[in-house]
Amino acid sequence: MPSNAASPALELQLFGTPTAVVRGQEARLPLKRALALLAYLAFNPGPVPRAHLAAMLWPDADESRARTRLRKLTFNIEEALGSGIFSSDGNSVALIGPAVQTDVLRFADFARRIVTAETLDDDTLAQARRWVAQGRRPLMEGGAFGSDLFDDWLKARSIEHEHLLARLLERVIGALGSRGDFASALDLAESLIALDLYREPSYVLLMRLHALQGHSAGVEAAYTRCAETLRAEFGIRPGPLTEQAYVRMSEDLRRLAEPAKVRFAGRGLGAVAYTSLGVGERTLVICPGFVCHIEIALEHPPFRAFVEALAERFRVILFDRRGVGLSERVRATSTPAAMAADVIAILDHADVPRAWLFGSSEGGLGAMHLAVGHPGRVEGLCLFGSLARGSA
C-alpha cells in the first residue's frame, strides 16, 4: 500500500478487525473504546468536545464520570503506545496532525484521485486492485461496544466508504475490460453488485463486459438477473436507462452475428472477395496487412465497432487480397502491384470511380502503388504502420 515518507507514531488499520500498529508491531490497547476514540478523532481532524466524546463512548454514565473515564483512556492509550498523540485542553481533544494514519483515509485519498484520472497505467491499476481487495473488508468489524451514537457514526462512514469503493470498482473494472482481462473484470463486477444488489448501473456494467466479448447469452443473463432482483424486492421493472442499454447491446450483438454479405470481383487472375458497410457518399477501402479474412475479422467486436464507426461517414469496403481469406488462391502473388490490381477490380465491380485508401502494414504498399499508378482512382491515402519499401 502507498505510504508517506515520514512514519507516523501510530497506524490504525480499520478494514476488518481494527488494530493499532506502532513501528510495525501491533499495540495492545486497553479497550474497544480506545480504537473507537482513535478512529473517531482520525476522521474528525481538529478539536472535538470532551462532552461529545464522553457521551459517545460511555452513553450510560453521567457526564462527570464519563469525562473522568475519557481522561484515563487517553492516558492509557499514550502509555500503551509509548508516545504522545493527543493534544487537549479542558474542553476538547484532538490528534496531533501527522501522528496517526488510517488505512481507510488513505484508501479514500487514493480512490478520489483514481476515479477522476483520465488514464490508468499498469502500476496504478495494480495498486488500485490491491486497495480494492483491502477496501472490500468491513470497517471496524467487531468494534461495537453498546453505543448507539458510535454505531450510527460508524454506519454512516461505512455507507460513505461503500459509495467510494463502488466508484473505484467501476474505474478498475473499466480499465481491466479495456485491456481484455475479462475474467478479473467479471469477478470484480460481482463484488460491485454485492455492495448493492439493487443498483442498476452495476448490472449495466456487467452486461457491457459480456457485450465486449460478444456474449449475447451473458448480456441476457445479466439483464434478467437485474429484472428479477428488482421485481422480487420492489415489484418494479428496470429503469429506462437500463432497458435502453440492454436493447442497444442486444441489437449490436445480433448485428455482429450476421454474416458479412460477400461479393466477388473477378479478373483474369482470379476472384477477389469483398464486402461493404455504410452508405456514405465517399468510399474508403481498407487495404489489409499480411493476413486477413473479412468474415472472421467482422466477428471480432472491437474491429467491428471500429469499422461501423467509419461506416457512419463512409461506404467502407473490406477485402481479402488474392491468396488469403475468401479470395482466389491459385496463381495469386503477394506484391504491391497485385494488391493494387485487386483494389481496381473491386472499385470497378462496385462501380466506385474514386476512393480513399486506408493501408495498414503491408497494405500500405499496395495503396501507395495504386495512388502512383492510378491517381485518378484515389482521393487520398491514410497509412498506418506502413513502409515505403520492404527487405528480405
Side-chain angles (χ1 to χ4, degrees):
M1 290 298 122
S3 61
N4 291 345
S7 298
L10 171 65
E11 293 186 22
L12 281 179
Q13 298 175 356
L14 302 181
F15 288 123
T17 303
T19 57
V21 178
V22 178
R23 292 180 291 277
Q25 299 293 323
E26 182 177 346
R28 295 186 176 277
L29 296 180
L31 298 168
K32 286 184 178 181
R33 289 177 174 83
L35 285 165
L37 173 62
L38 291 170
Y40 191 86
L41 292 176
F43 275 87
N44 295 276
V48 178
R50 286 180 175 273
H52 174 73
L53 294 172
M56 178 183 68
L57 295 173
W58 293 277
D60 297 330
D62 61 68
E63 182 177 349
S64 176
R65 183 177 300 177
R67 288 171 68 104
T68 299
R69 290 176 177 176
L70 177 61
R71 284 193 296 272
K72 183 176 181 181
L73 181 62
T74 56
F75 174 81
N76 289 340
I77 290 173
E78 291 187 328
E79 187 175 49
L81 299 178
S83 62
I85 62 170
F86 297 109
S87 64
S88 61
D89 56 31
N91 296 315
S92 63
V93 179
L95 290 175
I96 297 173
V100 179
Q101 285 188 358
T102 69
D103 51 0
V104 177
L105 292 177
R106 290 166 64 207
F107 168 90
D109 289 341
F110 176 84
R112 292 190 183 104
R113 186 172 74 253
I114 296 306
V115 297
T116 58
E118 292 186 5
T119 59
L120 298 184
D121 58 36
D122 291 342
D123 289 341
T124 304
L125 178 58
Q127 192 176 20
R129 294 181 68 178
R130 290 194 294 270
W131 270 123
V132 164
Q134 188 155 337
R136 288 163 63 181
R137 303 166 66 192
L139 266 60
M140 297 193 70
E141 189 172 20
F145 52 88
S147 169
D148 291 341
L149 187 59
F150 180 79
D151 291 346
D152 289 345
W153 172 81
L154 181 58
K155 179 64 175 177
R157 296 287 74 74
S158 297
I159 292 173
E160 181 180 329
H161 167 71
E162 287 178 359
H163 289 167
L164 188 54
L165 175 60
R167 293 175 64 196
L168 181 60
L169 273 166
E170 288 175 336
R171 191 73 173 86
V172 172
I173 292 167
L176 291 171
S178 67
R179 285 165 167 78
D181 188 356
F182 293 111
S184 299
L186 287 168
D187 178 66
L188 290 180
E190 292 297 335
S191 299
L192 179 61
I193 291 173
L195 285 176
D196 184 351
L197 293 175
Y198 313 109
R199 185 174 180 270
E200 293 183 46
S202 301
Y203 293 96
V204 173
L205 182 55
L206 181 60
M207 285 191 282
R208 187 175 300 120
L209 291 174
H210 286 296
L212 287 172
Q213 300 175 83
H215 296 164
S216 57
V219 173
E220 183 73 27
Y223 173 77
T224 301
R225 180 177 166 191
C226 175
E228 291 180 347
T229 299
L230 294 174
R231 183 172 58 251
E233 183 67 20
F234 305 113
I236 61 173
R237 294 172 54 86
L241 293 179
T242 304
E243 295 273 8
Q244 291 167 15
Y246 165 66
V247 171
R248 183 178 65 254
M249 292 181 209
S250 298
E251 290 178 347
D252 288 346
L253 289 172
R254 277 194 295 271
R255 188 169 63 254
L256 286 173
E258 295 176 356
K261 295 180 180 178
V262 180
R263 297 177 175 84
F264 293 91
R267 279 202 168 184
L269 295 178
V272 183
Y274 76 96
T275 188
S276 64
L277 293 86
V279 291
E281 293 183 2
R282 294 181 296 172
T283 299
L284 171 67
V285 180
I286 297 180
C287 303
F290 177 63
V291 294
C292 54
H293 192 299
I294 51 179
E295 285 187 330
I296 294 176
L298 289 173
E299 290 174 358
H300 185 53
F303 180 76
R304 180 77 179 235
F306 164 71
V307 173
E308 289 186 341
L310 291 173
E312 293 178 2
R313 298 180 58 189
F314 295 92
R315 177 187 181 186
V316 181
I317 292 178
L318 307 173
F319 71 95
D320 293 336
R321 71 176 189 276
R322 279 171 291 188
V324 297
L326 300 175
S327 293
E328 180 69 54
R329 283 168 166 69
V330 180
R331 296 174 295 168
T333 58
S334 181
T335 64
M339 178 174 284
D342 291 345
V343 176
I344 289 293
I346 293 168
L347 294 180
D348 288 346
H349 189 269
D351 196 24
V352 176
R354 290 166 58 86
W356 280 85
L357 304 181
F358 177 88
S360 172
S361 185
E362 185 179 326
L365 291 168
M368 288 185 279
H369 192 282
L370 178 59
V372 171
H374 301 271
R377 306 299 300 269
V378 179
E379 287 197 58
L381 290 176
C382 180
L383 304 177
F384 173 75
S386 192
L387 61 161
R389 60 179 298 179
S391 61

